Amino acid sequence: MMEGQINGHDYDVIVVGSGAGGAMAAYTLTKSGRKVLMLEAGRDYDPKTETPMFKSNFDAPLLGAGNSDKDFGFYDATVDGGWEVPGEPYTKGEGSEFLWWRARMLGGRTNHWGRYSLRFSEHDFKGFSRDGLGADWPFEYWDLAPWYDETEALVGICGTNTGLDDMPDSPEGVLQPPPKPRVPELLVSAAAKKLGIPTAPMHRAVLTRPKDDRQACFYATPCGRGCSIGAAFQTTTSLIPMAQATGLLTVITDAMVKEVNVDEKGKVNALTYIDKKTKQAHRLDAKVIILAASACESARILLNSKSESHPNGLANSSGHVGRNIMDSTGVSYGAHIPALEGRPKYNEDGHTANHLFIPWWGHKMQEKKAMAFPRGYHFEIGSGFRAPSSWVSGDLDGYGKPLKEITKQAYGSYVGLALRGEMLPNDDCYMEIDEDVKDQWGIPVVKFHWKWSQHELKQVEHGLKTARQILETMGAKFDKPLPKAEDAILKGGQIIHEVGSTRMGDSPTESVTNQWGQTWDCSNLFVMDAGVFASNPHKNCTLTIMTLAMRNSTWLARQLDKGEL
Amino acid sequence: MSLVKERYSSKKPYLASLSRRDAIKWIGALSVTAAFPGLTACSSQALAPQSQLAKGHWPQLDLPVINATGYGKDPNLIIAPRASWPRTLTAAQLTFIAVLADIVAPREGAAPSASEVKVPDLLDEWVSAPYEQQQQDRVSFLHLLAWLDEEARRRFDNLFVDVRASQQLAIIDDIAYKKAMQSEEFVRSAKAFADFRRLVLACFFCSPAGVKDIGYLGNVPIVGDYPGPSDEAMTHLQSVLDELGLTL
């Protein structure tokens, strides 16, 4: 894109970011006739030509194993990112551990995400009202429900209605049929049932029926690589091309936004970005700006946008920008299941992730204050006859034929339960700008502070005990005691569900945006990524990011119609 | 015996799949027969007294640092780069690894041996890679090879690859089983062998022949809905459920 041709005034809205929030905002606005300019900090990316479909680990360097260049393995879709981005560091406060996953590519992290797409429940939006912790959302589930319906229909979600309080039903005909469960999942289901714990078909943003230009899943090649046929949802095969088809979307890649600029009255009127190819800074006039650069990147832009009228950073009169950061809790516990050794082989790839999972079953008990921790979790099930990789499981001993026999018997006999739980915000978990460190573009970097509270540790302790019970019911034997929660819990950021850094609310002193993602301080500045989450229910954030972006950019379009902005 | 005839040794080196440029380098190294000539010569001269050996010897290799760069954060995923960093194993080390890898995963009926599916080449790629895990493995594996040579010299007065198969196995028998982990004499070599063994198996089972051998049936496109478990798999599951007293 030639920068010389770009005049910000030609666009109704500038969207920063092309992931779940940015792409949905751009799609919604262009569909309602608005001209949109999208800035993406990473390179252009086309899943149709770049996805390593069907490639085997044998064809990859190091059997596809992960390393500091490709943290999630050679074939992971993430471009120019991962836990570290060269030239774009982040720092951590003393005693804090935090990991920040970034992708520098069109479509952002939607190119490789797990596609788990569970609605938040009625109770999820009103946690503070229930237990006095964290914050309520500034609306109710039923305000959002019609937008979940539309988002699910647009994105394409497979799954079923279960009637469980942890999984609100979708209207008839919205969900696509889920794939049949596999053997280890059925065994987990039977064991959980004996313990009074439910299992349910996972909801995933994977097509089991064709839709628009996207094909149905053919049940091969892991979704984390991206999906050249568009079955596994990513914005680069759906929302972005659909928005481009309107003729109203312009995309500039390699555009790293540095700050949002204001006029002498403090009103947002421009933004400044660095063209990564030329290293030149450009200023674009702007009528309305939507930040959707990811929760922590959007908060970083705001904190770096200091001016006389906004001395603590833009939209930060509340002091809440960068605070209230939450990730999901995470811990994994697994075992070899002797009864699954040497079981009959069949193609167990399926849609390459959970067909069944364990939703949270303890909400009613928590409502009665009958549990030692206030918020819920779910278990994802890891199992199956997987493509051979750089790791071989089994209790290996000896060599030669007997050794190979151990490996073959153990193949497909491991079952792991991965907990994903709700975290509460606390004063020790926040980000600020590290004034001493700048990235290679001259932009001051983020400094993270992190500490789990007892709420998370008690939840993880409960999860570990429960996982062990389920695995023991399946016949697993353990000779070691359970690890302590504080040792087993994964690091902050490691589940890549960071939210809350620009939270929404009813009060300009307790939140950064109103319920529409519109910042309290600047009427023409919006946030439409997970930064606006008031809480972080355990159900994976992406579906709700997209739903909020659709709802809030629809509202934004109406304000433009009314001449309100 | 055909098995003995096929075995690699100093005189029957493993032939790596090499690029033309690497091949020239490799020919230059052909004259070197031992994996660690300097080291083995030194240790055979100064054979430690029996009391010291009881605690177990462990070589101290001074390995040059790998300072190559990796394949980066945006490699071509369609045509995967397989030569991003130079290979570092010598011809003798590759032959050594071929011998050892074939002890771990020998030819078995229709299933080829580890060296037949080029596991030594994969291990060369692996230990030469400039990443943390691979560098740890490099140190561990090269010390294992040096230890095996020391041990072969001590027991049978020759290089490991040049002693008889039964003599090789006599040494491997001491480090390949769990009991070795409890032995002060063998714990370090046993740990290194365990890591080597797991990686050799991984390489083998990733190969097309290995995929067949382990019975992975996925990575094929399915038209229509995912069929789910086979009847046979469901029958087996039912027997498991019955045994555990569970119901679906």
Side-chain angles (χ1 to χ4, degrees):
Chain A
M1 185 56 58
M2 300 296 290
E3 278 71 29
Q5 297 171 352
I6 298 288
N7 181 344
H9 276 307
D10 293 343
Y11 299 90
D12 297 305
V13 180
I14 298 180
V15 176
V16 180
S18 62
M24 182 61 90
Y27 169 84
T28 306
L29 290 165
T30 53
K31 282 284 183 182
S32 64
R34 296 291 166 177
K35 278 194 83 178
V36 174
L37 177 64
M38 174 185 274
L39 303 182
E40 163 53 49
R43 73 159 169 87
D44 194 15
Y45 172 73
D46 182 7
K48 287 198 168 127
T49 58
E50 298 194 58
T51 308
M53 306 295 278
F54 296 107
K55 299 282 182 190
S56 85
N57 288 324
F58 201 64
D59 297 328
L62 310 174
L63 308 177
N67 53 45
S68 54
D69 276 337
K70 296 281 291 194
D71 300 271
F72 286 2
F74 179 75
Y75 290 127
D76 179 66
T78 304
V79 166
D80 290 332
W83 299 126
E84 303 288 340
V85 174
E88 298 180 25
Y90 52 94
T91 62
K92 284 158 274 187
E94 211 180 312
S96 286
E97 286 192 303
F98 189 84
L99 287 165
W100 189 19
W101 188 279
R102 290 166 290 174
R104 293 289 181 240
M105 64 199 298
L106 190 68
R109 295 181 285 188
T110 70
N111 293 302
H112 91 141
W113 66 305
R115 274 89 175 176
Y116 292 149
S117 300
L118 298 160
R119 291 181 180 215
F120 295 172
S121 301
E122 270 182 77
H123 57 260
D124 288 326
F125 293 96
K126 299 293 167 195
F128 176 78
S129 297
R130 185 172 79 247
D131 56 28
L133 299 167
D136 282 345
W137 291 63
F139 49 72
E140 298 188 6
Y141 170 75
W142 294 108
D143 295 321
L144 205 56
W147 300 98
Y148 272 132
D149 300 348
E150 282 211 38
T151 302
E152 286 179 341
L154 175 63
V155 165
I157 309 286
C158 66
T160 48
N161 289 330
T162 61
L164 297 167
D165 66 7
D166 201 41
M167 301 176 74
D169 286 347
S170 306
E172 277 309 306
V174 167
L175 298 176
Q176 299 196 346
K180 280 186 189 167
R182 311 134 165 137
V183 164
E185 293 169 323
L186 290 168
L187 183 56
V188 169
S189 178
K193 188 173 105 178
K194 188 174 178 181
L195 300 170
I197 295 168
T199 48
M202 179 55 99
H203 288 198
R204 278 194 91 209
V206 171
L207 299 181
T208 57
R209 297 291 178 268
K211 177 171 187 53
D212 305 320
D213 293 334
R214 301 160 55 200
Q215 294 176 45
C217 182
F218 49 42
Y219 307 102
T221 121
C223 306
R225 301 175 177 195
C227 186
S228 71
I229 63 167
F233 177 86
Q234 56 205 101
T235 61
T236 37
T237 52
S238 53
L239 300 177
I240 293 172
M242 287 157 96
Q244 280 169 325
T246 64
L248 297 172
L249 175 65
T250 303
V251 179
I252 307 179
T253 50
D254 297 303
M256 179 84 180
V257 172
K258 184 179 182 186
E259 61 183 324
V260 174
N261 307 107
V262 295
D263 65 17
E264 65 284 353
K265 288 177 193 151
K267 186 175 164 64
V268 168
N269 67 350
L271 60 71
T272 304
Y273 73 91
I274 312 293
D275 179 338
K276 286 184 168 178
K277 287 192 170 143
T278 62
K279 299 187 165 57
Q280 294 296 305
H282 297 270
R283 191 183 153 105
L284 279 175
D285 294 334
K287 294 178 193 164
V288 177
I289 292 174
I290 296 175
L291 296 181
S294 84
C296 298
E297 200 72 70
S298 290
R300 178 190 182 197
I301 292 169
L302 292 175
L303 291 173
N304 274 328
S305 303
K306 285 181 188 155
S307 61
E308 227 166 82
S309 32
H310 304 280
N312 300 320
L314 196 57
N316 195 24
S317 61
S318 66
H320 274 275
V321 174
R323 305 204 72 89
N324 314 306
I325 300 181
M326 297 159 273
D327 187 20
S328 296
T329 55
V331 70
S332 290
Y333 198 68
H336 285 279
I337 307 300
L340 291 180
E341 284 191 8
R343 64 194 174 94
K345 306 285 194 308
Y346 66 98
N347 180 350
E348 217 159 49
D349 282 0
H351 67 25
T352 78
N354 281 203
H355 291 189
L356 291 184
F357 83 118
I358 297 176
W360 177 235
W361 64 94
H363 167 63
K364 286 284 186 296
M365 284 183 283
Q366 285 175 327
E367 216 167 29
K368 285 184 252 164
K369 306 263 194 279
M371 296 194 97
F373 56 99
R375 302 294 170 89
Y377 62 84
H378 70 262
F379 281 120
E380 296 167 12
I381 302 168
S383 65
F385 293 124
R386 300 214 189 130
S389 69
S390 64
W391 181 255
V392 171
S393 59
D395 191 11
L396 305 184
D397 203 30
Y399 56 87
K401 193 176 176 199
L403 169 72
K404 280 175 71 188
E405 208 45 48
I406 293 171
T407 314
K408 290 190 214 176
Q409 284 291 311
Y411 180 53
S413 71
Y414 178 87
V415 174
L417 296 172
L419 173 150
R420 298 288 179 263
E422 176 168 356
M423 170 196 175
L424 281 154
N426 72 60
D427 287 344
D428 295 317
C429 295
Y430 63 98
M431 55 169 270
E432 60 185 338
I433 296 300
D434 188 334
E435 301 290 354
D436 299 330
V437 184
K438 284 181 179 172
D439 68 13
Q440 64 173 319
W441 319 110
I443 308 172
V445 308
V446 175
K447 183 177 195 172
F448 289 102
H449 301 264
W450 200 262
K451 195 178 172 196
W452 297 112
S453 79
Q454 283 304 307
H455 299 310
E456 290 81 40
L457 296 176
K458 281 182 179 156
Q459 177 200 67
V460 163
E461 189 185 340
H462 185 272
L464 284 166
K465 274 187 200 156
T466 307
R468 178 127 151 187
Q469 267 186 312
I470 294 169
L471 293 164
E472 280 173 342
T473 307
M474 294 162 65
K477 299 270 183 274
F478 296 92
D479 51 11
K480 283 184 195 149
L482 278 169
K484 284 186 183 150
E486 56 263 43
D487 299 330
I489 192 169
L490 295 176
K491 292 174 187 171
Q494 205 168 354
I495 307 301
I496 322 184
H497 291 166
E498 67 282 0
V499 310
S501 48
T502 55
R503 77 176 177 195
M504 55 167 58
D506 283 329
S507 151
T509 57
E510 290 299 315
S511 58
V512 179
T513 82
N514 62 19
Q515 63 162 316
W516 311 108
Q518 181 184 38
T519 61
W520 290 112
D521 298 349
C522 312
S523 63
N524 60 340
L525 177 64
F526 289 73
V527 183
M528 295 205 189
D529 54 34
V532 298
F533 282 31
S535 72
N536 195 12
H538 63 88
K539 296 160 208 175
N540 314 66
C541 40
T542 307
L543 178 71
T544 302
I545 295 172
M546 292 193 281
T547 302
L548 282 173
M550 182 194 270
R551 171 186 184 262
N552 292 349
S553 48
T554 302
W555 184 84
L556 193 168
R558 274 190 219 126
Q559 304 311 300
L560 289 172
D561 292 341
K562 288 194 265 177
E564 295 279 335
L565 299 173
Chain B
M1 268 171 65
S2 66
L3 188 75
V4 175
K5 244 165 119 184
E6 285 171 14
R7 279 175 54 222
Y8 301 107
S9 67
S10 301
K11 292 192 179 110
K12 281 184 188 295
Y14 171 81
L15 295 175
S17 329
L18 296 168
S19 70
R20 177 176 277 273
R21 208 189 65 190
D22 281 344
I24 294 162
K25 224 173 61 189
W26 191 76
I27 287 160
L30 263 181
S31 56
V32 182
T33 52
F36 303 95
L39 184 97
T40 44
C42 173
S43 62
S44 62
Q45 272 169 14
L47 212 61
Q50 208 58 38
S51 61
Q52 249 179 285
L53 282 175
K55 288 177 197 160
H57 55 113
W58 191 244
Q60 297 294 320
L61 300 181
D62 190 13
L63 298 170
V65 177
I66 298 260
N67 51 17
T69 50
Y71 50 60
K73 284 189 172 274
D74 189 13
N76 186 334
L77 303 186
I78 306 295
I79 304 162
R82 294 308 290 265
S84 298
W85 46 87
R87 302 299 185 256
T88 57
L89 293 181
T90 64
Q93 287 166 339
L94 280 165
T95 296
F96 203 146
I97 283 173
V99 169
L100 211 51
D102 282 356
I103 290 172
V104 170
R107 170 168 270 277
E108 249 192 277
S113 71
S115 68
E116 286 177 275
V117 298
K118 295 291 171 193
V119 169
D121 294 70
L122 296 177
L123 260 67
D124 197 2
E125 177 187 66
W126 187 278
V127 301
S128 306
Y131 301 111
E132 201 181 336
Q133 180 63 53
Q134 283 71 17
Q135 284 308 291
Q136 281 174 21
D137 287 342
R138 171 170 174 259
V139 170
S140 164
F141 296 170
L142 290 180
H143 281 80
L144 173 66
L145 300 192
W147 181 86
L148 287 168
D149 258 349
E150 285 182 1
E151 200 67 8
R153 264 200 197 283
R154 190 174 70 84
R155 297 193 202 184
F156 310 112
D157 199 27
N158 209 340
L159 297 172
F160 184 86
V161 297
D162 291 335
V163 302
R164 290 203 303 276
S166 60
Q167 294 171 327
Q168 289 171 346
L169 294 187
I171 298 173
I172 297 300
D173 280 335
D174 284 336
I175 63 171
Y177 295 94
K178 280 180 197 151
K179 61 176 179 355
M181 295 290 188
Q182 315 304 324
S183 144
E184 200 184 341
E185 184 179 359
F186 297 121
V187 63
R188 284 169 298 194
S189 44
K191 275 185 183 157
F193 181 77
D195 291 341
F196 178 85
R197 170 174 64 195
R198 200 178 286 276
L199 186 61
V200 167
L201 286 177
C203 292
F204 172 76
F205 284 118
C206 277
S207 73
V211 166
K212 211 171 150 192
D213 198 28
I214 206 162
Y216 172 63
L217 298 173
N219 203 35
V220 289
I222 289 169
V223 180
D225 287 335
Y226 173 65
S230 63
D231 292 346
E232 192 196 2
M234 285 306 284
T235 306
H236 179 265
L237 172 65
Q238 194 53 56
S239 69
V240 169
L241 293 172
D242 293 347
E243 210 174 295
L244 295 168
L246 301 173
T247 54
L248 286 180

